[in-house]
Amino acid sequence: MIPVDPLLLFQRICVLKKTDEELKDYLNYELAPYPLALFEDGKLRKTKKSTFYELFSEISIDLKSLQNIHYVIDGGMLLHRCKWQLNETFKMICDLYVRYLKNNYNSNTYVVFDGYKKDSIKLAERNRRALKNKCADIEFDENMSLKIAQDKFLSNNKNKSRLIEMLRITLADNNIFTCQAESDADTLIVHTAINLEKKNVAIVSEDKCSTYHSNE
């Protein structure tokens, strides 16, 4: 980000302007180094994505009445949906997710995980969460026991990324399809659902909102 002095910028505008009309044109833009509507103290403002759902009309559908329904699961939601116990091994934790998916969904289930590259659109929010529950990087394998709280463990992106790698292998061994986005998974979740053309699809997201899609 290039540092900008708003006062100096305003002084230069006053020197350069030839008419008051030109001044109005200049003042159509914020005299700030970044859009104040999006940033606060140099950091992205926290947003609430769930407010977008208010723009859509709610439709009640009995998913059990649909045949051959396919579920697209938000992996970020899934990681927090199952509650871990201290001293469980990571293999036991991965098996916990397998049982959860099999008990609540069917064999036509697709899990889409976030990626954790530095340039992710979610970087600001992830950093904000990490400040609440700081956790060191942990080198672990499936036989290692969990010694810290789940939320604290998942607040570290490197820990979460390693767990996703392990979990994807376990899910694949149980015939549960998974994929991972390069950064934010929202777009890939929608693309996965759209690619299941001519099928009944339910998207289960972290905002607890299920949507229905069918081309039949």
Side-chain angles (χ1 to χ4, degrees), residues 97-144:
Y97 288 104
V98 173
R99 292 196 300 273
Y100 174 83
L101 291 172
K102 289 186 174 181
N103 290 338
N104 291 277
Y105 305 103
N106 57 27
S107 59
N108 298 320
T109 298
Y110 303 77
V111 183
V112 183
F113 291 101
D114 284 312
Y116 291 90
K117 291 189 174 182
K118 291 184 178 181
D119 58 352
S120 169
I121 192 173
K122 288 186 174 179
L123 181 60
E125 178 61 22
R126 289 170 179 169
N127 290 339
R128 187 182 292 112
R129 293 174 182 174
L131 291 175
K132 296 180 180 179
N133 285 307
K134 291 186 178 180
C135 178
D137 296 349
I138 299 175
E139 295 290 343
F140 60 91
D141 58 31
E142 62 179 13
N143 296 316
M144 180 177 170

Side-chain angles (χ1 to χ4, degrees), residues 56-68:
F56 299 90
S57 300
E58 183 175 347
I59 301 176
S60 297
I61 298 175
D62 183 7
L63 296 179
K64 294 182 180 179
S65 66
L66 301 176
Q67 295 181 350
N68 299 321

Side-chain angles (χ1 to χ4, degrees), residues 11-161:
Q11 290 172 341
R12 289 180 176 178
I13 290 174
C14 291
V15 171
L16 293 174
K17 77 175 184 68
K18 297 179 180 179
T19 65
D20 289 341
E21 289 299 321
E22 280 192 1
L23 180 60
K24 290 181 180 179
D25 291 337
Y26 284 129
L27 295 181
N28 281 330
Y29 304 92
E30 293 179 294
L31 301 180
Y34 43 78
L36 298 180
L38 299 178
F39 292 83
E40 183 177 18
D41 297 329
K43 298 179 181 179
L44 275 171
R45 293 181 181 273
K46 182 175 176 59
T47 60
K48 188 177 180 182
K49 293 189 297 182
S50 58
T51 56
F52 283 104
Y53 291 126
E54 298 175 2
L55 302 176
F56 299 90
S57 300
E58 183 175 347
I59 301 176
S60 297
I61 298 175
D62 183 7
L63 296 179
K64 294 182 180 179
S65 66
L66 301 176
Q67 295 181 350
N68 299 321
I69 189 168
H70 289 63
Y71 291 95
V72 179
I73 311 295
D74 183 338
M77 175 277 297
L78 179 64
L79 288 177
H80 293 274
R81 185 56 56 91
C82 297
K83 300 304 178 183
W84 312 348
Q85 300 297 323
L86 290 177
N87 297 317
E88 286 184 329
T89 65
F90 283 92
K91 183 180 186 306
M92 295 170 62
I93 291 172
C94 290
D95 290 340
L96 177 65
Y97 288 104
V98 173
R99 292 196 300 273
Y100 174 83
L101 291 172
K102 289 186 174 181
N103 290 338
N104 291 277
Y105 305 103
N106 57 27
S107 59
N108 298 320
T109 298
Y110 303 77
V111 183
V112 183
F113 291 101
D114 284 312
Y116 291 90
K117 291 189 174 182
K118 291 184 178 181
D119 58 352
S120 169
I121 192 173
K122 288 186 174 179
L123 181 60
E125 178 61 22
R126 289 170 179 169
N127 290 339
R128 187 182 292 112
R129 293 174 182 174
L131 291 175
K132 296 180 180 179
N133 285 307
K134 291 186 178 180
C135 178
D137 296 349
I138 299 175
E139 295 290 343
F140 60 91
D141 58 31
E142 62 179 13
N143 296 316
M144 180 177 170
S145 298
L146 178 71
K147 299 298 182 182
I148 62 174
Q150 178 179 357
D151 288 344
K152 188 171 184 178
F153 178 91
L154 292 176
S155 68
N156 183 300
N157 289 336
K158 291 184 178 179
N159 293 341
K160 190 184 295 185
S161 183

